[in-house]
Each structure stands twice: as C-alpha cells, then as structure tokens.
Amino acid sequence: MSLRTSPSTAWRLPRTALLLLLALSAAAGCRLDMHDAPKYEPLEKSDFFADRQASRPLVDGTVARGFLREDELLYTGKVDGDFAPLFPFQITEEILLRGQNRFNVYCSPCHGRTGSGRGMIVQRGLKQPQSYHSQRLLEMPPGYFYDVITNGYGVMYSYASRVKPEDRWAIVAYIRALQYSQAAPLEDLPEEDRQRLRELQ
C-alpha cells in the first residue's frame, strides 16, 4: 500500500486551508467593523447640536437609576429641614463595627481614634478640628454629624462621593459611641472592666 498522496488529494488540502483562511479573514473584518462603529465618545465635540457637545444633558425631572432620594432623613440627615434627632434605622452591633471601620479609615487621620481632634494629620500641621467631646458637639443631634460628613464643614471637605449614605450613618453611630465612652457611668460597665479600671488607678 502506497503512503503517497495522489495529485488530486494534494491539491484539495491547500485549497481547503485557503478557503478556511478566507472565511476567518471575513469574520475578523466584520468584528472590526462592529467594534469601530460610527458613534460619539463621551465629551466629544458635535457639529449637530447647538451647544456643540455630543453628550446630552439630562432631561428636566429625570432621575438616574439608584439616585431617587425620597427618604429625607436617610439622605439629608434632616426632618422638615431641621437636623434629625434620630437615626433612619436601628443601630446594631454590626452597624457600630462598620462605623468604627469607616471612621478609622476616613475620620481618624484628623479626628484621632478617640475623637479628640488630635489625629496624625493634625500632629503634622493641619488645623485641629473640635473634639467630639466638647460640650457643643455633645449636644448636637445625629443629623448634624451626617450633614457635616455629607457637605463638609470649615476645612473639612465633603465625603459624599467617598462614603455611601448608610456608612455615613454608621460613622455617626460610632461617633455617638465614642462620645458615650468618655463619660459612661462606672456602673454601666461589666464587673471585669470595672476591676481593670480599679487596678489602673
């Protein structure tokens, strides 16, 4: 039995490969055309619109998905225009721990881990914020702290783009816990903690 290919078989193999190569080239061409379809890129100039901008402004009354802010308390920290004296949801241990985490990341560089206003950035020259344990801030309602985190205050800029609303409230809850920790009655502590404090005195 001969292992040689006949002339007709030898011609069929390159022809098949050539047809396959042509089909692949055609498919690649279509893909490129679909990827490179005529369209405006974001912020691109347009000669079609009078303002010469391809990106169009939102139609009045339009609300982007996920940005409907119907809950005034949750999103502004206010009730009927005044700083809210309450939280928009129940504060649990899980929320306090989340607040501690976010506080340590975003707030402690200036406010310090205990809220004294002597964070590391302040020690290096930035203006010192008021201590959370000052009488003025002890008397402020939770909505005030939420508003400051959202809109900024003095040299502090807004954290609205960095911290989502629920996390802002968690931070406020943790600030309240810090305030309470500095003036908590001794009898509110568990016996083992009271014993430890006695040993430190």
Side-chain angles (χ1 to χ4, degrees):
M1 186 169 104
S2 172
L3 294 176
R4 293 182 182 179
T5 57
S6 67
S8 60
T9 306
W11 166 243
R12 274 198 303 262
L13 288 175
R15 189 171 63 177
T16 304
L18 181 63
L19 289 173
L20 183 60
L21 184 62
L22 286 172
L24 287 173
S25 299
C30 291
R31 179 176 170 80
L32 177 62
D33 183 55
M34 292 176 73
H35 276 268
D36 198 27
K39 62 184 179 294
Y40 283 117
E41 300 292 338
L43 305 179
E44 191 174 354
K45 176 184 169 184
S46 166
D47 294 325
F48 184 79
F49 297 104
D51 62 4
R52 303 180 66 79
Q53 296 179 31
S55 299
R56 308 313 304 144
L58 293 176
V59 176
D60 288 341
T62 302
V63 178
R65 184 185 296 272
F67 283 87
L68 185 61
R69 305 294 195 222
E70 286 189 310
D71 189 332
E72 181 189 17
L73 174 58
L74 177 64
Y75 292 108
T76 68
K78 296 180 180 179
V79 174
D80 296 327
D82 295 324
F83 294 129
L86 68 162
F87 288 83
F89 45 78
Q90 185 178 357
I91 303 303
T92 63
E93 182 179 358
E94 182 182 356
I95 289 171
L96 275 176
L97 290 173
R98 176 67 178 174
Q100 180 183 32
N101 175 276
R102 300 293 83 191
F103 179 90
N104 288 341
V105 170
Y106 292 106
C107 312
S108 68
C110 293
H111 292 276
R113 291 290 178 112
T114 63
S116 66
R118 294 286 303 152
M120 186 55 65
I121 303 301
V122 172
Q123 294 176 40
R124 294 182 179 175
L126 192 72
K127 183 178 178 183
Q128 180 176 349
Q130 190 172 13
S131 168
Y132 289 135
H133 312 294
S134 67
Q135 194 59 40
R136 184 182 82 83
L137 292 184
L138 286 170
E139 294 171 358
M140 285 296 180
Y144 169 81
F145 295 99
Y146 180 89
D147 182 76
V148 169
I149 296 169
T150 303
N151 300 307
Y153 182 86
V155 297
M156 175 181 158
Y157 50 79
S158 165
Y159 279 83
S161 64
R162 299 165 182 81
V163 184
K164 63 183 182 178
E166 292 80 2
D167 281 349
R168 285 176 240 163
W169 281 112
I171 290 171
V172 174
Y174 184 67
I175 289 170
R176 279 296 192 236
L178 284 177
Q179 290 176 322
Y180 181 76
S181 73
Q182 300 300 303
L186 192 60
E187 56 270 18
D188 284 0
L189 295 175
E191 180 54 40
E192 59 268 22
D193 290 338
R194 279 187 254 175
Q195 184 58 41
R196 240 181 299 166
L197 283 174
R198 291 188 199 104
E199 291 168 3
L200 291 172
Q201 291 174 347

